[in-house]
Amino acid sequence: MKKDLSSDALEPVAGNGLLHRRLFLTQGAAVLGSGVALMTARNASAAPLEVPATMKTPGVPASGYGERSRFESKVQRITNGAPPTPGTGGSRTPLEYLEGIITPNPLHFERHHNGVPDIDPEQHRVLIHGLVERPLVFSLDALSRYPLVSRIQFLECSGNSAGMNTPEPAQQGAGGLHGLVSCANWTGVPLSILLQEAGVKPEGKWLLAEGADAAGMSRSVPLAKAYDDAILALYQNGERIRPSNGYPVRLFLPGYEGNMNVKWLRRIKITAEPTMTKDETSKYTDLLPNGRAEMFTFPMGVKSVITSPSGTQKMQGAGLYQISGVAWSGTGKIRRVDVSADRGKTWAQAKLDEPVLSKAIARFRLPWRWDGSPSVLMSRATDEAGNVQPTRAKLMADRGPNYRYHYNAIQSWNVTAAGEIGNVYV
Ligand code: CO
């Protein structure tokens, strides 16, 4: 017997109006046009549209480098206050304004330790030395002649969402709270090829990566990661990497905490042990409740956040909404994302947009019929290794109040009857 998909798709699948994800399939889309008020489109009257001014005069000619519409200028990276010293700190991706899985280059998050250097690619060199048979030095032209690989992958600062450990929830949007994550198509030379050419000595087990910035930012990386999927990235979304993201070359370590993806890369030294640089001892260690600190915690955990509707946005009255959000894991692909509209009591599986890629942002969606009553929206991601995003209560209980890096707990958005949306701890 043929199932009546239309009525099926409108049947709630979890508490407080969550509908089945199949509502977004082709047949389901017709349901939207046939009686279920989307609340956004107004009935067209019989009168024809006015001819706009743009149809009466020619537009501007083609340009050398594109700009977005002037009406989109409000979409900016988010900075939380002035940095303690100039050049430190960073800026966040405004996640709530973006769709799909790619972060436009001008909105990719930044994190600097002593400002953005102005590097001439003609002068720049990358040195591979230390425990190698043949120390090698590369110009940018030389690097560009190696075979390139291209992958869509996320980058997340280890300190992303660290503001979520405050006693009271900060009232910010998705980007202000969690925007130290972005996703781009990174293209570069596999580091494994260069290491084979240099000939790593048997006692070489780690590498030191050093940037050409005024902080001399440097981190230790296990060689296993270098041989696995590390690249020296030259391109970001098809164009040369931006200065704020490491121009002209950065180390890219898929899934690993952002700080290790050393920008403005100038030196790779093969070592037997980690170097214990200032950037991995005084920072980027995880202080535990017992006073001990974990070091070298590299992969970013499985995580998700609903970007629409989300904090600082406003609901437009009761009716049908599309919940949309982003999920990612430093371990591999996102397997599923579940959404709750009733404070975590019941959950419904969201639809994942194709493609779902390893160590990339995945976009999830779920229809929600909001009845106008107070609600709490949550999303919970699971990756292909079976890691499940923890609740905030569990993460804080396990990790203690000093925990700062690798925060990956479930984000909860409180929706009031008036349609205001805010950050809430559940
Ligand atoms: Co870490």
Side-chain angles (χ1 to χ4, degrees):
M1 197 182 127
K2 202 174 168 220
K3 283 194 92 175
D4 183 353
L5 186 59
S6 306
S7 56
D8 238 32
L10 285 169
E11 206 58 44
V13 291
N16 195 24
L18 287 178
L19 305 180
H20 199 283
R21 61 190 181 281
R22 80 165 72 90
L23 188 61
F24 293 141
L25 301 179
T26 326
Q27 307 96 311
V31 175
L32 295 179
S34 67
V36 180
L38 250 182
M39 309 305 295
T40 51
R42 267 183 240 129
N43 287 332
S45 65
L49 288 172
E50 235 175 84
V51 176
T54 54
M55 294 180 76
K56 298 173 183 169
T57 50
V60 299
S63 62
Y65 197 82
E67 293 290 335
R68 62 183 169 176
S69 162
R70 64 193 171 95
F71 300 104
E72 296 299 317
S73 59
K74 67 178 183 300
V75 181
Q76 299 280 335
R77 285 188 288 219
I78 303 152
T79 38
N80 292 339
T85 47
T88 65
S91 66
R92 291 150 200 267
T93 296
L95 298 171
E96 60 272 41
Y97 285 106
L98 303 181
E99 254 297 342
I101 63 171
I102 297 291
T103 310
N105 289 343
L107 297 174
H108 195 288
F109 85 85
E110 307 169 89
R111 173 76 176 96
H112 314 307
H113 293 251
N114 203 350
V116 179
D118 180 30
I119 296 176
D120 177 353
E122 295 290 326
Q123 306 301 319
H124 190 74
R125 297 290 181 272
V126 178
L127 172 67
I128 298 183
H129 68 146
L131 296 172
V132 294
E133 303 293 344
R134 293 166 295 278
L136 300 172
V137 65
F138 299 91
S139 67
L140 263 293
D141 283 344
L143 274 182
S144 299
R145 293 182 62 180
Y146 285 85
L148 299 174
V149 295
S150 202
R151 304 187 197 105
I152 295 172
Q153 281 161 335
F154 79 86
L155 185 69
E156 183 181 21
C157 177
S158 190
N160 194 21
S161 320
M164 293 296 291
N165 72 0
T166 55
E168 293 300 318
Q171 289 312 318
Q172 286 187 291
L177 294 169
H178 307 291
L180 290 176
V181 66
S182 305
C183 186
N185 182 7
W186 299 96
T187 303
V189 183
L191 180 51
S192 58
I193 294 178
L194 306 178
L195 293 181
Q196 276 157 24
E197 204 161 288
V200 173
K201 292 181 176 172
E203 60 269 38
K205 296 287 182 258
W206 288 74
L207 65 80
L208 169 75
E210 181 185 68
D213 60 333
M217 231 294 301
S218 44
R219 288 291 305 262
S220 302
V221 181
L223 269 192
K225 180 63 173 177
Y227 285 124
D228 179 14
D229 57 359
I231 63 170
L232 302 198
L234 302 169
Y235 296 85
Q236 174 186 354
N237 290 331
E239 64 179 1
R240 289 286 183 175
I241 287 179
R242 297 255 158 156
S244 58
N245 272 288
Y247 183 86
V249 54
R250 85 177 301 166
L251 182 61
F252 195 81
L253 306 172
Y256 275 23
E257 58 187 9
N259 179 251
M260 300 175 70
N261 296 253
V262 174
K263 298 188 281 190
W264 317 294
L265 183 72
R266 69 183 289 267
R267 193 161 69 96
I268 287 178
K269 183 183 182 184
I270 307 301
T271 59
E273 303 282 345
T275 303
M276 302 298 199
T277 72
K278 68 183 188 308
D279 301 295
E280 58 202 10
T281 51
S282 72
K283 293 196 241 5
Y284 300 101
T285 59
D286 307 314
L287 188 56
L288 299 176
N290 64 8
R292 296 181 65 86
E294 281 182 350
M295 288 189 75
F296 305 127
T297 49
F298 299 143
M300 297 307 291
V302 62
K303 190 165 173 180
S304 70
V305 59
I306 293 171
T307 54
S308 178
S310 65
T312 72
Q313 296 176 341
K314 203 168 183 311
M315 304 294 286
Q316 303 297 312
L320 191 60
Y321 284 84
Q322 178 179 184
I323 292 171
S324 173
V326 287
W328 64 96
S329 167
T331 303
K333 287 183 186 179
I334 290 295
R335 180 193 290 163
R336 63 182 285 164
V337 177
D338 296 279
V339 169
S340 173
D342 57 7
R343 213 181 172 87
K345 283 203 281 289
T346 61
W347 297 83
Q349 189 177 349
K351 172 183 171 291
L352 297 179
D353 278 4
E354 293 293 337
V356 178
L357 302 168
S358 182
K359 302 170 189 174
I361 279 182
R363 174 65 59 175
F364 65 89
R365 306 175 190 283
L366 195 70
W368 179 39
R369 189 151 53 188
W370 185 48
D371 64 7
S373 64
S375 306
V376 173
L377 295 174
M378 305 163 84
S379 64
R380 181 182 65 202
T382 304
D383 69 21
E384 63 181 343
N387 300 306
V388 182
Q389 195 178 2
T391 62
R392 182 176 181 280
K394 175 161 180 16
L395 184 112
M396 296 305 284
D398 288 351
R399 293 294 180 158
N402 294 320
Y403 195 67
R404 177 168 177 77
Y405 298 107
H406 294 277
Y407 180 100
N408 71 326
I410 290 171
Q411 169 65 41
S412 305
W413 298 118
N414 186 59
V415 181
T416 70
E420 309 282 352
I421 308 169
N423 181 21
V424 64
Y425 291 164
V426 169

